[in-house]
Amino acid sequence: MARTEVSGRLKWRVATLTDKRAETSTATTLTFEVDEWPGHKPGQHVDLRLTAEDGYSAQRSYSMATPADGNKVVLTIQTVNDGEVSPYLTEMLEVGDRIELRGPIGGWFVWDASNPAPVLLLAGGSGIVPLMAMVRARVRGERRTPFRLIYSIRSSEELMYGSELRMLPGGIDVSYRYTRRAPDGYRGRVGRLTPRDLVEDGWPADFAPACFVCGPTGFVEAAADMLVADGHLPPRIKTERFGPTGTA
Ligand SMILES: Cc1cc2nc3c(=O)[nH]c(=O)nc-3n(C[C@H](O)[C@H](O)[C@H](O)COP(=O)(O)OP(=O)(O)OC[C@H]3O[C@@H](n4cnc5c(N)ncnc54)[C@H](O)[C@@H]3O)c2cc1C
């Protein structure tokens, strides 16, 4: 029974692109309607499959950017310039086109809205995507769980969901770490995430927050090490790496 359920959830389903909009100059949000989508939790991802006419196919993983909403699946894809799949999705795929999705996948890197623990989100670049699904779930939910998001990007041109992040309700605090170029008027330091950022903009370890870290492998390893050094217990630190498929 359980096995049937799992394989049923993980079958390939046809997904039709219904909306496509630019998130930044290099990232695009794609909305799909998926046949018999079983729903998902904030933090989960899908496998996406493209198949060429000659039968060649390529598969990549992408996180859901929004909480469950009927048969809608929303993905935000950062174009990797020399990549095989991401440029196709962001530049070639058009509204009405169909691809295949399989999921939802992942039972560990998910935020459980019934958990009252404060939440600390650490995002590096496109690692914001599954964390944004958690933020959006918190905004839609009834419980006012305290959230803090530290979002590390090279410059403000890479900022995804900028206007939405500026308009979040009280209880969800967002701070930015610019690693290369800060926008005019920014008073913080420019450079990579430091332990001091966690002290200033995170939660103290004795608040026992649920920590979610997502981004490129180097960012995830550095941030998780800093959390452990700061006294956060490893079981409370959940990580997702956006490295090339196969090494994640
Ligand atoms: C669980 C999971 C969830 C993910 N969610 C998202 C998401 O929400 N949004 C998103 O944009 N991506 C996400 N990714 C990354 C995504 O799966 C692909 O790796 C990415 O889109 C690149 O694929 P590609 O075919 O364009 O590049 P490839 O053809 O696979 O790689 C081409 C070149 O780019 C390098 N490369 C590959 N991936 C990356 C990367 N992510 N960053 C930097 N260099 C890279 C490779 O080493 C290679 O040199 C996720 C990955 C995982 C494992």
Side-chain angles (χ1 to χ4, degrees), residues 45 60-64 76-80 82-87 126 129-130 240-245 248:
H45 65 274
R60 297 291 184 273
S61 301
Y62 292 102
S63 302
M64 263 73 74
T76 300
I77 318 283
Q78 175 73 49
T79 311
V80 172
D82 61 343
E84 184 183 3
V85 171
S86 60
S126 55
V129 177
E240 184 94 284
R241 294 150 195 256
F242 273 17
T245 303

Side-chain angles (χ1 to χ4, degrees), residues 4 35 44 58 67 97 114 138 163 170 173 175 188 190 199 206 234 248:
T4 316
D35 292 350
Q44 288 188 300
D97 285 350
S114 68
R138 156 63 175 80
S163 50
D173 300 319
S175 52
V190 173
V199 172
D206 57 3

Side-chain angles (χ1 to χ4, degrees), residues 1 5 21 25 46 49 58 85 131 165 198-199 204 211 214-215 236 243 248:
M1 170 78 174
E5 230 169 69
R21 66 186 169 81
S25 60
V46 285
R49 181 164 73 182
V85 171
L131 306 184
L165 289 173
L198 298 185
V199 172
C211 304
C214 186
R236 294 203 193 101

Side-chain angles (χ1 to χ4, degrees), residues 95-205:
V95 169
D97 285 350
R98 297 179 345 152
I99 49 118
E100 287 176 292
L101 294 182
R102 182 171 68 178
I105 300 171
W108 167 249
F109 193 80
V110 294
W111 176 55
D112 172 5
S114 68
N115 179 357
V119 173
L120 175 60
L121 307 175
L122 302 180
S126 55
I128 187 67
V129 177
L131 306 184
M132 195 63 193
M134 298 179 194
V135 168
R136 286 167 163 161
R138 156 63 175 80
V139 171
R140 284 188 200 172
E142 285 168 16
R143 190 196 283 267
R144 303 187 67 188
T145 308
F147 263 54
R148 287 188 177 169
L149 164 65
I150 304 177
Y151 184 6
S152 175
I153 38 178
R154 291 192 192 112
S155 68
S156 54
E157 285 88 65
E158 284 193 1
L159 175 66
M160 296 188 195
Y161 320 120
S163 50
E164 195 174 340
L165 289 173
R166 272 192 297 278
M167 311 260 297
L168 290 173
I172 309 178
D173 300 319
V174 183
S175 52
Y176 301 94
R177 196 90 198 101
Y178 297 96
T179 60
R180 296 209 183 146
R181 198 175 59 255
D184 293 343
Y186 176 75
R187 296 216 196 105
R189 295 178 303 277
V190 173
R192 291 192 170 176
L193 193 75
T194 64
R196 196 168 138 195
D197 296 315
L198 298 185
V199 172
E200 289 175 358
D201 298 320
W203 297 109

